[in-house]
């Protein structure tokens, strides 16, 4: 794998890609979390998705171990694993390549998609989860705050989505060890939007 796309991009953006062996070694440092279906990972400079694809593959192995006997559960928990992966990338071609790589990894996992709805739903999820923007200023491309969806799998093919501003999400850790840590997140953090429960077909049609 090439570690750079061009000298100019390195000079302009400091763009250097992490080799696969280094990605796996680093993820092994958080092995349990990287393999947990519902653990949430954010890569603030995700490039073409080297880290995020590796995390997804680990999560999908767990899905296969736990739910592989049921095609219904395998697909729905697999999509939930993907829903828990997030990225921010400044360069538009990298952001699109990251979405495409994650999409392809998931579709290879679930197999035949007879009517295309799983592919469409996956693309909708990735359009919301992989953002072109600046993680330092917390702004999306074109201006405005970065917003991420928090997805939940409710079982029986139903998902819940709530959107939060990125800067709001980064404040969650600051409450640990304070007088407010006993409060529920809902008492402190308010979503910018809450969606009705959705099926894969409904996500695909959004």
């Amino acid at each position: 794998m090439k570690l750079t796309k061009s000298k100019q991009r390195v000079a302009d953006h400091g763009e250097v890609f992490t080799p696969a062996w280094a990605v796996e070694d680093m993820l092994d440092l958080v092995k349990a979390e990287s393999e947990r279906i519902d653990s949430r990972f954010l890569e603030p400079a995700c490039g073409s998705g080297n880290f995020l694809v590796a995390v997804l593959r680990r999560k999908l192995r767990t899905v296969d171990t736990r739910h592989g006997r049921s095609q219904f559960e395998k697909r729905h928990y697999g999509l939930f694993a993907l829903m828990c992966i997030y990225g921010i990338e400044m360069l538009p071609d990298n952001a699109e390549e990251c979405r495409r790589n994650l999409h392809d990894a998931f579709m290879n996992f679930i197999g035949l998609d007879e009517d295309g709805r799983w592919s469409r739903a996956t693309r909708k999820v990735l359009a919301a989860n992989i953002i072109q923007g600046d993680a330092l200023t917390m702004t999306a491309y074109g201006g405005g705050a970065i917003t991420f969806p928090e997805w939940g799998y409710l079982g029986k093919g139903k998902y819940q989505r709530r959107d939060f501003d990125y800067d709001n999400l980064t404040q969650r850790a600051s409450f640990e060890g304070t007088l407010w840590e006993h409060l529920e997140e809902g008492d402190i953090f308010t979503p910018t939007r809450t969606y009705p429960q959705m099926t894969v077909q409904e996500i695909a049609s959004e």
Side-chain angles (χ1 to χ4, degrees), residues 2 5 23 34 37 42-43 74 88 95-96 100 128 134 138 141 145 166 176 187 192 195:
K2 292 180 65 176
K5 288 187 176 181
V23 170
S34 70
I37 297 171
L42 167 65
E43 173 56 64
K74 176 180 175 177
I88 303 171
E96 183 53 39
R100 183 168 62 250
D134 187 332
M138 301 186 188
Y141 175 75
Y166 177 46
E176 295 178 4
D187 296 331
T192 58
Y195 294 73

Side-chain angles (χ1 to χ4, degrees), residues 153-169:
Y153 183 48
L154 308 176
K156 299 182 179 180
K158 294 281 190 177
Y159 298 93
Q160 180 71 64
R161 173 179 173 175
R162 301 187 302 164
D163 289 353
F164 291 88
D165 286 342
Y166 177 46
D167 62 347
N168 188 277
L169 293 173

Side-chain angles (χ1 to χ4, degrees), residues 5 9 13 15 17 42-49 52 86-99 129-135 139-141 146 148:
K5 288 187 176 181
R9 287 167 70 109
H13 306 288
E15 179 187 67
F17 298 101
L42 167 65
E43 173 56 64
C46 64
S48 58
L52 298 183
Y86 303 88
I88 303 171
E89 171 57 37
M90 291 187 66
L91 301 178
D93 59 333
N94 282 346
E96 183 53 39
E97 187 176 354
C98 180
R99 295 184 194 106
N129 282 30
I130 308 300
I131 301 297
Q132 184 191 351
D134 187 332
T139 54
Y141 175 75
I146 291 176
F148 280 123

Side-chain angles (χ1 to χ4, degrees), residues 18-28 51:
T18 309
W21 65 265
V23 170
E24 295 298 337
D25 283 353
M26 293 169 75
L27 290 178
D28 281 342
F51 274 96

